[in-house]
Amino acid sequence: MVSPRPAVEALPAYRPGRNPADLAREIGVDRAIKLASNEVAFPPLPAVVQAVTAAAGETNRYPDNGAAVLTAALAERYGVDPGQIASGCGAVTLCQELAQAYSEPGTSIAFAWRSFEMYPLLARVAGARPVQVPLVPGRDGGPADTHDLDGLLAAIDDTTRLVFVCNPNNPTGTAVRRGELERFLDAVPATTLVVLDEAYREFVSDGDVPDGVELMRGRDNVAVLRTFSKAWGLAGLRVGYLIAEDPAVAEAVRKTHVPFSVSMLAQAAAVAALASEDEVRRRCAAVVAERARLTGELRERGLDVADSQANFVWLPVGEQAAPLAEALEARAVITRPFPGEGVRVTVGAPEEDDAFLAALDAVRDDVRVAVRPA
Ligand SMILES: *Cc1c(COP(=O)(O)O)cnc(C)c1O
């Protein structure tokens, strides 16, 4: 028998998320609601549908492997050189390509935990050791939901090639502020690349949460990841990008790029989305307003919900996470449980969030969700 590498064999098997149509059929309702994957509830932008439709007529050809048009549009948008940019089949693929470009046996990749679930997996696949630094409480008496940048700094040694800082953090929604992040970047050795994963940047409403692309300037060991999957509404097309201060970082990523993995449709859609930025901003503002409403509703119910800077909220319900998500699912609402820790709920359309709140109210007698005294 041929065996995969032990590091790969030890990885958990892939478990696909629950599909709303299947769930609805199974429990005999018209419609189930999915608040599990942090997509926006708006339909694709009209300009995106048009661009994809036009590009469909050319799909007998390979896409531009250098994504020149998209790269130029991004360079213009951010005021950087095209050589500082690499695009990828989703930001996830860029994480993977970074890990492959910078890891070798004996090296490590550091990140907070709990954070984006892909980090430990892609470290192992790249042959690097994942170093997980526990989150700490963001406020007195609160749950551990916030980056410990001092701890992360202390975890960096001369084997650490990459550090991922997910800001805002998935799944807790908390963000690190400018001063502490600047101090951290100043202290990280020049031989360690800090990757600021800003998949949710467009939903940040706190002016003290820094824009990574600005922080990156003048720091050769900093790169920023962004995606079209969340705010820009292109989750189904798979396209993200990296912007690095040092063009050598973008070049290393391009060298490990899976050829042609950013499709022609994805490139056309991303260019059209960038040209519709005003509409995207309006949609993000609506998500931010709905996030405030949802957070308020949850707090009124006695739940200890942190201020989220992303398009989801985090319910730190500990051991009740799995039973709560299961009970919600029985009422046609799909959320994302992290067993033993909490449940992540995407901010949906107002009527979806109302359905979630109604389901939560209905199941709370059965699933005792931890409530903190007000
Ligand atoms: C969703 C997400 C991404 C990017 O996803 P893609 O769809 O691959 O672009 C990256 N990082 C985090 C933390 C995310 O939550």
Side-chain angles (χ1 to χ4, degrees), residues 295-314:
T295 302
E297 291 282 350
L298 290 165
R299 285 180 181 160
E300 267 177 32
R301 288 162 172 78
L303 279 157
D304 186 16
V305 178
D307 283 324
S308 169
Q309 289 293 303
N311 68 333
F312 51 82
V313 294
W314 173 246

Side-chain angles (χ1 to χ4, degrees), residues 145-186:
D145 60 7
T146 303
H147 267 83
D148 172 12
L149 290 182
D150 291 335
L152 200 52
L153 188 62
I156 295 173
D157 61 24
D158 54 14
T159 70
T160 316
R161 294 289 163 81
L162 292 177
V163 178
F164 284 103
V165 178
C166 188
N167 198 35
N169 188 47
N170 178 5
T172 57
T174 59
V176 296
R177 305 297 190 282
R178 182 171 289 104
E180 52 175 331
L181 190 52
E182 270 174 349
R183 278 194 299 282
F184 172 78
L185 295 179
D186 288 343

Side-chain angles (χ1 to χ4, degrees), residues 90-92 116 166 170 197 199-200 227 229-230 238:
V92 159
F116 190 36
C166 188
N170 178 5
D197 184 340
Y200 301 97
T227 178
S229 296
K230 310 285 163 54
R238 317 300 305 125

Side-chain angles (χ1 to χ4, degrees), residues 88-276:
C89 177
V92 159
T93 307
L94 290 161
C95 291
Q96 217 157 19
E97 290 165 357
L98 279 163
Q100 278 180 325
Y102 288 94
S103 304
E104 56 193 341
T107 63
S108 61
I109 299 179
F111 46 88
W113 199 251
R114 161 99 29 208
S115 188
F116 190 36
E117 61 198 343
M118 288 300 297
Y119 301 152
L121 304 180
L122 61 90
R124 290 195 179 95
V125 170
R129 188 167 47 90
V131 175
Q132 305 185 170
V133 177
L135 297 172
V136 291
R139 59 217 137 91
D140 287 344
D145 60 7
T146 303
H147 267 83
D148 172 12
L149 290 182
D150 291 335
L152 200 52
L153 188 62
I156 295 173
D157 61 24
D158 54 14
T159 70
T160 316
R161 294 289 163 81
L162 292 177
V163 178
F164 284 103
V165 178
C166 188
N167 198 35
N169 188 47
N170 178 5
T172 57
T174 59
V176 296
R177 305 297 190 282
R178 182 171 289 104
E180 52 175 331
L181 190 52
E182 270 174 349
R183 278 194 299 282
F184 172 78
L185 295 179
D186 288 343
V188 171
T191 47
T192 298
L193 179 68
V194 181
V195 180
L196 302 174
D197 184 340
E198 297 189 333
Y200 301 97
R201 171 67 206 171
E202 295 84 352
F203 303 108
V204 169
S205 57
D206 178 342
D208 202 26
V209 176
D211 179 323
V213 181
E214 285 166 23
L215 267 197
M216 169 195 95
R217 312 241 181 212
R219 301 177 198 272
D220 271 346
N221 64 334
V222 177
V224 179
L225 286 175
R226 299 269 177 100
T227 178
F228 284 97
S229 296
K230 310 285 163 54
W232 302 83
L234 304 186
L237 280 167
R238 317 300 305 125
V239 54
Y241 53 99
L242 166 137
I243 306 179
E245 177 67 352
D246 183 353
V249 173
E251 185 169 289
V253 168
R254 284 194 293 269
K255 283 180 177 171
T256 52
H257 181 64
V258 178
F260 305 113
S261 54
V262 184
S263 78
M264 188 182 279
L265 303 185
Q267 293 183 34
V271 171
L274 279 175
S276 306

